[in-house]
Amino acid sequence: MNSIMELGDNIKVLAQDESHAILEVKDDTGDGLMTIYMPFKGIYINISDMHMQRCKSGFFLEENADVICFDHCKEGRIELETSKGVYSVLQEKQLRIDDRRHHSGHVVMPLNHFHGISIYINLASQGISAVASEFSVDIHCLKDKFCRGGEPYILENDPAVEEIMACLYRPPADFGPDYYRLKTLELLMYLSVVEIQEKNRIG
């Protein structure tokens, strides 16, 4: 499941099968759990429950990887260092969309906890088109729309996004990978019709 990303030495795999993995993250400020699903080839949903102040993210994208990432904060706050001393901040009920172009791996959680979801999509993969060949959303166009110049885009308190994410945090029992496929497609479909507000770009 780490064909795009490499695990860091602060992460231990607790369980793993073909469709998901449960990882433990530890450092000197605390610990956390990440549950990762792969609904399509090249697409990863990372559900994070972190109780720590900072960590070094080992999820490094391959060089020149073509990705789009969707980060949602349910509770807490997380700050990703994009360059030395500069951070991209994600707070409760916000969805950040970016291409991880400036991801350094340094993560700070100033409230000592963070609960959220990250969805990584490798645009080089044919995962969605192979499974849902008639799906109309062009993910490359979606990336061009939201990730202009590598600047993150923030959606805040969007009812549709909050509803979709709530379903991912609390999936029905025994639905399996198809449920995550459905919700991933629903999110992409919704974002394809969202109108860009330039004030929401975080330069």
Side-chain angles (χ1 to χ4, degrees):
M1 291 187 64
N2 60 344
S3 59
I4 299 179
M5 300 168 284
E6 297 296 332
L7 298 176
D9 57 10
N10 60 338
I11 294 178
K12 177 182 179 181
V13 179
L14 300 181
Q16 185 174 14
D17 61 24
E18 292 182 357
S19 64
H20 85 295
I22 301 174
L23 311 178
E24 180 183 53
V25 186
K26 277 192 174 182
D27 76 356
D28 58 353
T29 70
D31 55 31
L33 286 177
M34 297 188 297
T35 303
I36 300 179
Y37 295 90
M38 189 170 69
F40 301 97
K41 181 180 178 181
I43 298 180
Y44 302 82
I45 300 175
N46 177 11
I47 303 174
S48 298
D49 293 291
M50 314 298 285
H51 298 275
M52 55 205 313
Q53 187 177 48
R54 65 178 182 273
C55 73
K56 176 74 172 179
S57 172
F59 288 93
F60 290 107
L61 300 173
E62 293 176 351
E63 187 176 358
N64 299 319
D66 188 10
V67 304
I68 183 171
C69 303
F70 308 91
D71 303 303
H72 181 263
C73 178
K74 176 184 178 184
E75 184 179 333
R77 175 186 170 111
I78 192 167
E79 302 176 2
L80 304 181
E81 187 177 40
T82 57
S83 60
K84 189 171 181 58
V86 179
Y87 290 83
S88 174
V89 177
L90 185 67
Q91 304 185 80
E92 292 182 7
K93 294 187 177 181
Q94 289 185 338
L95 180 76
R96 175 179 53 215
I97 307 166
D98 76 359
D99 59 8
R100 287 299 195 271
R101 187 180 306 184
H102 305 297
H103 180 56
S104 71
H106 296 285
V107 179
V108 177
M109 288 157 277
L111 302 179
N112 294 309
H113 72 107
F114 168 75
H115 306 279
I117 288 176
S118 292
I119 302 174
Y120 304 80
I121 299 181
N122 178 5
L123 276 70
S125 172
Q126 299 299 314
I128 287 180
S129 61
V131 176
S133 58
E134 296 184 6
F135 185 58
S136 63
V137 175
D138 186 324
I139 303 176
H140 291 86
C141 290
L142 206 62
K143 179 180 177 180
D144 292 341
K145 173 181 176 178
F146 285 105
C147 304
R148 188 188 67 193
E151 298 174 348
Y153 188 91
I154 298 287
L155 278 173
E156 185 171 11
N157 289 315
D158 186 291
V161 169
E162 291 302 307
E163 183 176 347
I164 294 168
M165 290 301 174
C167 293
L168 289 174
Y169 289 114
R170 299 186 302 275
D174 303 323
F175 268 44
D178 282 344
Y179 185 79
Y180 292 95
R181 294 189 185 106
L182 176 65
K183 290 301 170 183
T184 300
L185 297 178
E186 185 178 358
L187 177 65
L188 296 176
M189 179 65 71
Y190 174 70
L191 292 175
S192 72
V193 299
V194 167
E195 293 187 5
I196 291 292
Q197 304 291 326
E198 291 301 325
K199 63 182 177 63
N200 292 339
R201 292 195 191 278
I202 310 300

